[in-house]
Amino acid sequence: MGYLFSGKKENFGMTSIDVDFESMQDEIFQSPVGNRSLFNTTLQKCLPALYSAECVKILGLVTRMFGGTYLQTDVIAKLPTEIPDDPFRNLSSVFRDLYDKLKANDRRALYEWMTQVLQKSYAVNEANASISWVTAESLWILGRFMVHLPLDEIRKISINEIRIFISYDNATKQLDTVYDITQELAKAFLELINSSGFDMRNISTLYKLGLLICFYDDIQDLDPIMAKALLHQMIKCNQLRGFRADVQKLKSQFLQIAVLNQTLNESLGSLSDAVVGLTISQLESLSPEAVQSAILTLQQISGWTKSQIIVLTRKFLHSEKVLSYSNVSQLGELVTGVSADSFYEMNPRDLFMALKSGLSQHAPYFTPAQQESILSKLMSSGEFHTVLSEMNGAFFKQVSLSQLLAQRNLDITELNDKEMRRSQALLLFDLLSPTVPLVNLLSTGQLVKGMTCEYIDNMSKPTFLNHYKLIEKNLPLLSPHQIHCLAWKYWRVSQATIPPFLLAVLPTEYFASHTLCKQLLIGLRKTDLNYLPLHASKKDFVINKVNQCLNNSVADVYQIDILGNLICHLSPSIIETGISSNVIEAALSQMKACSNLSQEQNKAIKYRIREHYGNPLNWTFETAQDMVPFWNLLSKEEIIIITEKFQKLVLEIVSGTGAIVQSDEMLLGLFDAILLHGANISEPDQTADCIGIRAPSAGTVMVLGEANALWTLEELQCMTGKTFAKCVHILGLLRTFNESQLFVLKERAKMVWGPLSEWKSYHITALGRIATTLSVSELNELYLDSADMVSALSQQTQWTDLQAKLILQGFLNDSGKSMKDLKSFELAGLGNSLCAADFEQIDQIHTLEFRSIISRIGSFPCSPRILQAFKNKTEKIYGKTETWSHFVLNDVGYIAAGFSNEDFKSLDPRRMPYIHPSAIKLIPEEIFKELSPEQITNLGPENGAMVTESQRALLNNIQLHSLRQALEGRRASSQTPILVTTSTTTIETTPPVSKSVTMTTDYCVVFAVVCQLLYP
């Protein structure tokens, strides 16, 4: 095992045997069951031999590598409790490092094993029964597992032991990691530390408390110095799981004490991240001098909202007419609040220095107007190659094709870390492929996105097969169209070895020819079936073949490993009755990552959860925690009862449900649970009109998330202005509010912020979706004089045509500009509002400015008439549509839906797959019906799937046949497929671990022979 993990080629002189452990290791690691087999084999051989230092070392290594996945309760149950001290300490260290990767039940099982071993060394008798077995040393060994100690056990810990523990140098580091500690346990530890002689009002003691500081609530007679020290330490509380509202409440209390006898301006730089809780109005009241003095502290604080950042940067730059590198370099993350106009007015050299100093890392957080203002200014310097070398990530993705086309002698090494649009990659691949070796093209960043079907078709057989592994390595970057082209190429050059996932995208009869089930399953797991260009009936065929290969059953964990993400596509019947009960836990664990499960699959999963874990009402805390991804399958009543039992879990669940699909039942359950049982949240202040009405408090809004949509209109109307001001940034982001609720919140905003004529871009930014309820008269009241103001509005996409028209016209009126005066960053800021422009206005846009943002404009789903106007404008840059290259056609996005009949008639059918898929459904029916059968066939599976029912309804029989060919994955030039066999071989039940490693047999034999020769 030691040789295997060294991954080297070894020569054993005494036996004259050369062994390639590197290749052997690769074979094992690439096998879907190799890792589990290594893990289980190591445990099987090493657990009985823990007296061996070598065995302990190998066991630790294997557990670190694979324990997060395979260290489960059944394995933990086999760990010996009679174990030498050194191996126990070594393994405990490994388990502590794996803590975050383990399921809650597995953590609990490991805790219980560790405590069994620890207790054996502590003789309990009647004389010391009232004193805990927990010593300072056992706390160190437990590490993060200390959060599982029972409350009674903590209270029994010897004062002397807790004193030793806290005095230990690494205690603070350990306490900094107890992210999942409960409020009760934390307070018990704080009381114990206080009782052990530590002065809890001593700043040096505060530094030792780690995350326990988040529950320090002794505010009586607290002085401002101590309050500031506490706030400084509480920065780390952002890592705590749950209790967000409680922590914010504590910070608010400490903040009030910290500013006693001082103004907010005077103490701004010493309040730590508690300043993140300041409202827009409070930030507006700060003096520019105070912000400038505290800027180095403010820019290091995380958690600012975009609206807060804008206020602070305006204060900081209050007296600056032109932005300089010195200003920008002091802002840190707050640089995202600089206005688009300010960036545009910067000296290009200063802006380039800012780019070199890390401006690119903030690119994703800039608005489109800010991004474009920075780009346009940088490009105006005329030093593209110099700028390119420093332009990383999202910035490069916004560089226009025109700017790239103007470049010569591009260095491929400069593209390695660049995020690219597909159209950029298509252009760059086209420019570089004549002179750059294929291996470099495929190894450089995202360039592989630009490999065309024609390029793939023209590869020789040796070139294709020699480079295929490199192409497959970049599979996540490939489009469905590219995968489709790869499949046809592979079929033509090597039918016998074509990977199953490529075979799946070919016409059905090709896939039906595959008869080796194990290879089929292993091959299909390499990519998500949802990403492959499969129409519904073909996807069903593939899934049925998978079910046949499994013989409608999953018998052991090695089959779970072989399935990979194919498990997300198992039929409901297999989930309900075909998965063996002894592997259902592993199956459910893998299904947590599944998205788009059908209602029938979810029903089957719920049945198996109940069967395996019992009635949800009887779940343990750990089981409830492990089942969080499936909470959307529970009823409202079940959620309420579970959260009543485990109140801490409510806060942890809601604070981490971003990736969880929240059903209506789940939202209802969480809403009721939090209001009735969950968080210990203070009641809001009540106005005279709202006595007896349950109104949202800042704490409840913060905790509820999307469940805030369940407040009634009356309850939202009773929200105080103070609560709204604290929570507007949360409320504006929620997707589930209806229009009436948003209207009530808008009215609350008018009450808090005053006349709309005085609102700034940061008010609109904070409002989020709430802004979409602004009426015609209210939009007219706004002063839309800047790109930032309209950019804040255009971040929302639910505007009506009339609202969009008012935003566009309001900007032109208030800025005193006409369409021909607009810069590219102002056009980018207008966003979807440009869809409200008329033909004449679009024609007036300056061609040079339009050229820079064609791809952005192509992302706006305007009406066909407006898209036609944009198409006409684009022709002034790239010429007639019939001359547009594949990368231009892809870059213009929705604009392609503005093509006329004549445009499509002159379009080469081979260009059809490069039309952006989202544009297909916007092509008017009367124009789509004029497409030739060859053009429709060339749409391919991806674009063919975007054809709407209304478009399909006007097609004739020949066109409909072509569409079926496109969906099936046939190529216009392909001949009638050969007849192939459709027999299927059922996958054998995977044998026990010693026989189940699906790696090359030669490696297994060599490995065994070497071991026998060296260690007879």
Side-chain angles (χ1 to χ4, degrees):
M1 294 297 285
Y3 284 122
L4 181 66
F5 282 110
S6 71
K8 298 178 182 177
K9 296 178 181 178
E10 299 284 351
N11 174 264
F12 300 96
M14 58 183 177
T15 55
S16 301
I17 292 178
D18 292 319
V19 183
D20 186 353
F21 286 104
E22 181 181 11
S23 297
M24 191 183 299
Q25 185 189 80
D26 287 343
E27 288 284 341
I28 295 173
F29 287 175
Q30 288 175 20
S31 164
V33 301
N35 294 346
R36 189 188 292 272
S37 297
L38 277 180
F39 180 76
N40 286 342
T41 302
T42 304
L43 253 67
Q44 178 187 344
K45 298 293 184 183
C46 281
L47 283 182
L50 288 177
Y51 56 83
S52 162
E54 277 188 311
C55 238
V56 173
K57 180 181 177 182
I58 291 295
L59 184 58
L61 176 64
V62 171
T63 304
R64 283 186 194 278
M65 292 176 68
F66 310 123
T69 304
Y70 307 127
L71 189 64
Q72 296 169 348
T73 49
D74 58 332
V75 175
I76 297 166
K78 299 174 184 176
L79 296 176
T81 55
E82 298 291 340
I83 180 174
D85 188 58
D86 283 345
F88 172 67
R89 289 174 180 271
N90 288 337
L91 286 178
S92 296
S93 174
V94 173
F95 297 152
R96 291 195 299 269
D97 292 342
L98 287 175
Y99 190 92
D100 280 324
K101 298 179 181 179
L102 299 170
K103 299 198 299 292
N105 273 311
D106 300 332
R107 290 176 191 163
R108 167 62 66 177
L110 278 175
Y111 162 78
E112 290 174 356
W113 173 76
M114 293 168 76
T115 55
Q116 284 181 52
V117 177
L118 289 169
Q119 287 180 46
K120 285 181 181 292
S121 63
Y122 186 88
V124 179
N125 53 51
E126 291 183 6
N128 62 11
S130 62
I131 301 176
S132 173
W133 57 268
V134 180
T135 63
E137 187 176 26
S138 61
L139 284 173
W140 300 331
I141 292 172
L142 285 171
R144 293 183 60 183
F145 289 92
M146 66 186 284
V147 302
H148 295 281
L149 285 166
L151 195 58
D152 291 343
E153 198 68 58
I154 293 172
R155 288 171 176 157
K156 287 162 53 179
I157 297 174
S158 162
I159 287 175
N160 187 52
E161 293 296 335
I162 202 70
R163 187 184 299 120
I164 295 171
F165 173 70
I166 294 297
S167 299
Y168 181 55
D169 289 341
N170 281 343
T172 304
K173 184 178 179 181
Q174 180 172 325
L175 291 173
D176 276 341
T177 63
V178 289
Y179 311 125
D180 50 346
I181 195 167
T182 65
Q183 192 169 33
E184 293 77 13
L185 292 186
K187 288 189 174 182
F189 273 115
L190 286 172
E191 289 171 9
L192 197 59
I193 294 167
N194 187 36
S195 303
S196 65
F198 285 95
D199 181 2
M200 302 300 279
R201 293 296 176 93
N202 187 302
I203 292 178
S204 63
T205 302
L206 298 184
Y207 292 161
K208 295 177 179 290
L209 297 179
L211 289 177
L212 300 182
I213 199 76
C214 307
F215 303 93
Y216 185 106
D217 57 1
D218 182 13
I219 63 174
Q220 189 174 358
D221 300 326
L222 199 67
D223 63 61
I225 294 176
M226 189 68 176
K228 289 176 182 178
L230 282 163
L231 288 173
H232 179 72
Q233 287 299 300
M234 290 182 78
I235 289 178
K236 62 186 71 172
C237 297
N238 294 328
Q239 303 170 69
L240 206 63
R241 290 171 191 163
F243 307 109
R244 182 181 166 199
D246 295 313
V247 170
Q248 284 300 112
K249 180 181 174 183
L250 272 177
K251 285 184 178 181
S252 179
Q253 291 172 335
F254 292 146
L255 178 64
Q256 291 176 23
I257 296 170
V259 297
L260 287 176
N261 304 322
Q262 278 187 311
T263 64
L264 192 55
N265 281 321
E266 292 170 330
S267 54
L268 184 62
S270 59
L271 299 177
S272 188
D273 69 345
V275 292
V276 169
L278 297 176
T279 65
I280 287 178
S281 298
Q282 288 173 311
L283 292 174
E284 283 180 317
S285 71
L286 294 171
S287 69
E289 294 75 20
V291 174
Q292 290 162 3
S293 298
I295 195 64
L296 293 180
T297 299
L298 298 175
Q299 58 107 331
Q300 294 178 49
I301 293 171
S302 60
W304 294 112
T305 65
K306 179 77 171 185
S307 54
Q308 289 175 313
I309 288 173
I310 296 171
V311 180
L312 289 171
T313 52
R314 288 196 176 191
K315 293 286 181 181
F316 178 71
L317 300 171
H318 176 72
S319 58
E320 302 293 332
K321 292 184 179 180
V322 179
L323 208 59
S324 67
Y325 167 67
S326 175
N327 300 140
V328 173
S329 63
Q330 293 179 67
L331 284 170
E333 291 187 13
L334 299 181
V335 74
T336 58
V338 175
S339 71
D341 291 284
S342 295
F343 278 128
Y344 191 76
E345 295 300 324
M346 274 186 79
N347 180 294
R349 184 171 182 79
D350 277 5
L351 191 53
F352 177 67
M353 290 173 65
L355 190 71
K356 289 184 67 174
S357 299
L359 191 64
S360 285
Q361 72 189 53
H362 305 297
Y365 308 105
F366 287 122
T367 64
Q370 289 172 310
Q371 286 184 353
E372 181 56 32
S373 66
I374 293 169
L375 274 176
S376 59
K377 180 57 68 169
L378 287 170
M379 294 304 174
S380 70
S381 67
E383 300 179 3
F384 180 84
H385 290 281
T386 306
V387 172
L388 178 65
S389 63
E390 301 295 337
M391 188 184 293
N392 302 328
F395 261 137
F396 182 81
K397 195 174 182 179
Q398 301 306 328
V399 174
S400 72
L401 292 190
S402 299
Q403 289 160 331
L404 292 176
L405 279 166
Q407 307 309 313
R408 293 292 180 265
N409 303 318
L410 277 171
D411 185 348
I412 192 169
T413 59
E414 294 176 340
L415 303 174
N416 200 43
D417 56 355
K418 305 295 186 286
E419 188 179 341
M420 298 182 191
R421 302 193 305 277
R422 191 161 302 280
S423 57
Q424 289 174 316
L426 286 166
L427 166 60
L428 292 168
F429 199 98
D430 200 53
L431 290 175
L432 295 168
S433 56
T435 57
V436 176
L438 179 57
V439 66
N440 291 356
L441 291 171
L442 298 178
S443 305
T444 302
Q446 298 187 0
L447 263 181
V448 69
K449 286 182 176 181
M451 186 169 55
T452 63
C453 215
E454 291 76 13
Y455 189 91
I456 294 170
D457 286 344
N458 291 332
M459 285 187 199
S460 67
K461 178 177 178 178
T463 298
F464 178 80
L465 294 177
N466 290 338
H467 290 85
Y468 174 74
K469 284 296 180 185
L470 194 53
I471 296 173
E472 187 179 271
K473 186 178 177 182
N474 288 297
L475 199 58
L477 294 174
L478 300 181
S479 70
H481 172 60
Q482 287 174 305
I483 293 174
H484 183 232
C485 296
L486 280 175
W488 277 112
K489 178 66 177 181
Y490 213 122
W491 177 261
R492 287 197 303 271
V493 302
S494 182
Q495 295 180 16
T497 62
I498 183 171
F501 77 91
L502 289 182
L503 199 58
V505 306
L506 295 178
T508 305
E509 62 267 25
Y510 290 73
F511 182 74
S513 68
H514 202 293
T515 60
L516 299 175
C517 272
K518 182 172 285 188
Q519 286 83 345
L520 178 72
L521 295 179
I522 292 173
L524 284 176
R525 76 192 296 276
K526 287 188 176 181
T527 188
D528 185 350
L529 288 187
N530 291 327
Y531 184 67
L532 294 178
L534 304 175
H535 63 89
S537 60
K538 184 191 283 190
K539 185 177 177 182
D540 288 342
F541 183 87
V542 172
I543 293 170
N544 286 336
K545 181 115 184 202
V546 169
N547 292 340
Q548 289 176 37
C549 282
L550 291 170
N551 198 21
N552 293 316
S553 67
V554 179
D556 61 33
V557 288
Y558 295 98
Q559 285 186 325
I560 298 286
D561 293 339
I562 289 172
L563 281 172
N565 59 28
L566 279 177
I567 201 167
C568 302
H569 302 283
L570 291 181
S571 68
S573 60
I574 290 183
I575 296 172
E576 187 164 334
T577 60
I579 301 177
S580 172
S581 58
N582 63 324
V583 299
I584 189 62
E585 189 171 331
L588 289 172
S589 181
Q590 202 150 305
M591 287 179 182
K592 289 176 184 177
C594 296
S595 58
N596 303 317
L597 291 169
S598 70
Q599 189 174 351
E600 291 75 20
Q601 284 176 307
N602 278 326
K603 185 177 178 181
I605 289 171
K606 184 176 182 179
Y607 171 80
R608 295 308 301 268
I609 289 173
R610 283 179 169 272
E611 179 186 64
H612 186 72
Y613 293 105
N615 190 320
L617 305 184
N618 299 325
W619 284 353
T620 63
F621 176 85
E622 286 76 22
T623 298
Q625 196 172 27
D626 283 338
M627 290 296 104
V628 166
F630 297 121
W631 272 43
N632 60 327
L633 304 181
L634 302 180
S635 68
K636 169 188 170 182
E637 291 72 23
E638 286 170 335
I639 290 174
I640 290 174
I641 293 173
I642 293 172
T643 50
E644 183 178 2
K645 283 173 62 179
F646 310 120
Q647 295 184 20
K648 183 256 178 180
L649 193 57
V650 184
L651 305 180
E652 187 174 329
I653 298 255
V654 177
S655 65
T657 50
I660 300 171
V661 178
Q662 295 174 312
S663 64
D664 291 342
E665 286 283 293
M666 184 174 181
L667 289 176
L668 281 166
L670 290 174
F671 183 80
D672 286 352
I674 289 167
L675 293 187
L676 296 175
H677 312 295
N680 181 22
I681 299 167
S682 61
E683 289 295 316
D685 296 331
Q686 296 277 303
T687 61
D689 296 336
C690 292
I691 299 299
I693 297 175
R694 180 181 60 179
S697 68
T700 51
V701 170
M702 193 177 297
V703 170
L704 280 171
E706 290 293 341
N708 277 296
L710 296 171
W711 294 110
T712 66
L713 296 182
E714 191 177 30
E715 288 167 341
L716 288 175
Q717 285 168 342
C718 286
M719 180 190 295
T720 65
K722 183 179 179 182
T723 295
F724 177 84
K726 284 185 176 182
C727 303
V728 58
H729 61 286
I730 298 173
L731 299 168
L733 290 174
L734 301 182
R735 304 179 299 273
T736 43
F737 277 134
N738 61 39
E739 190 171 349
S740 298
Q741 291 170 312
L742 293 173
F743 180 84
V744 169
L745 293 172
K746 178 202 68 177
E747 293 300 310
R748 184 60 54 188
K750 290 163 65 177
M751 183 197 79
V752 173
W753 292 333
L756 278 79
S757 59
E758 297 179 8
W759 286 14
K760 309 297 182 186
S761 63
Y762 48 81
H763 292 112
I764 300 298
T765 300
L767 282 178
R769 284 189 67 225
I770 300 169
T772 60
T773 60
L774 289 167
S775 65
V776 171
S777 60
E778 288 168 337
L779 284 170
N780 281 326
E781 283 185 60
L782 292 175
Y783 190 52
L784 306 178
D785 65 327
S786 70
D788 296 284
M789 192 68 170
V790 290
S791 188
L793 290 167
S794 68
Q795 297 304 295
Q796 307 306 317
T797 57
Q798 300 90 2
W799 301 108
T800 64
D801 291 343
L802 178 57
Q803 285 175 312
K805 184 74 174 177
L806 288 168
I807 292 170
L808 173 62
Q809 205 56 49
F811 174 66
L812 295 175
N813 293 339
D814 294 341
S815 66
K817 297 181 179 181
S818 63
M819 293 293 283
K820 66 181 180 182
D821 302 319
L822 299 185
K823 302 296 183 185
S824 60
F825 74 90
E826 292 170 319
L827 293 168
L830 282 165
N832 282 4
S833 302
L834 285 172
C835 293
D838 55 39
F839 258 75
E840 290 182 5
Q841 287 177 315
I842 292 173
D843 189 55
Q844 289 172 13
I845 297 174
H846 199 291
T847 304
L848 287 177
E849 304 299 333
F850 182 82
R851 183 174 66 180
S852 298
I853 59 161
I854 287 177
S855 64
R856 285 194 188 276
I857 291 176
S859 67
F860 306 149
C862 305
S863 68
R865 181 172 165 278
I866 297 303
L867 291 174
Q868 184 182 353
F870 283 133
K871 184 265 300 186
N872 295 339
K873 191 73 181 177
T874 306
E875 285 185 314
K876 295 182 179 180
I877 298 165
Y878 293 123
K880 289 294 183 182
T881 56
E882 63 193 71
T883 67
W884 288 6
S885 61
H886 57 296
F887 46 81
V888 170
L889 194 59
N890 184 264
D891 196 56
V892 299
Y894 284 116
I895 294 175
F899 280 19
S900 65
N901 278 332
E902 291 70 28
D903 293 325
F904 274 117
K905 284 178 181 177
S906 61
L907 187 65
D908 187 332
R910 291 173 299 176
R911 294 279 183 264
M912 296 302 288
Y914 296 101
I915 296 175
H916 199 282
S918 58
I920 299 295
K921 60 179 180 290
L922 287 191
I923 300 174
E925 293 88 346
E926 63 274 11
I927 291 180
F928 190 85
K929 73 175 183 178
E930 299 300 324
L931 294 179
S932 71
E934 187 181 5
Q935 286 177 318
I936 293 175
T937 301
N938 272 285
L939 284 173
E942 184 182 15
N943 280 355
M946 302 303 291
V947 176
T948 66
E949 285 301 319
S950 58
Q951 290 170 328
R952 187 192 296 258
L954 297 183
L955 299 181
N956 61 38
N957 288 335
I958 297 175
Q959 290 171 314
L960 287 172
H961 176 71
S962 295
L963 181 57
R964 286 193 292 272
Q965 284 192 309
L967 291 171
E968 180 65 16
R970 300 186 189 280
R971 301 179 75 172
S973 59
S974 65
Q975 298 178 355
T976 304
I978 56 171
L979 291 175
V980 288
T981 178
T982 58
S983 61
T984 300
T985 305
T986 302
I987 185 171
E988 67 276 14
T989 300
T990 313
V993 60
S994 57
K995 299 179 182 178
S996 66
V997 183
T998 47
M999 55 183 172
T1000 305
T1001 306
D1002 291 344
Y1003 285 127
C1004 296
V1005 173
V1006 171
F1007 193 20
V1009 170
V1010 171
C1011 292
Q1012 184 63 35
L1013 287 171
L1014 296 180
Y1015 309 105

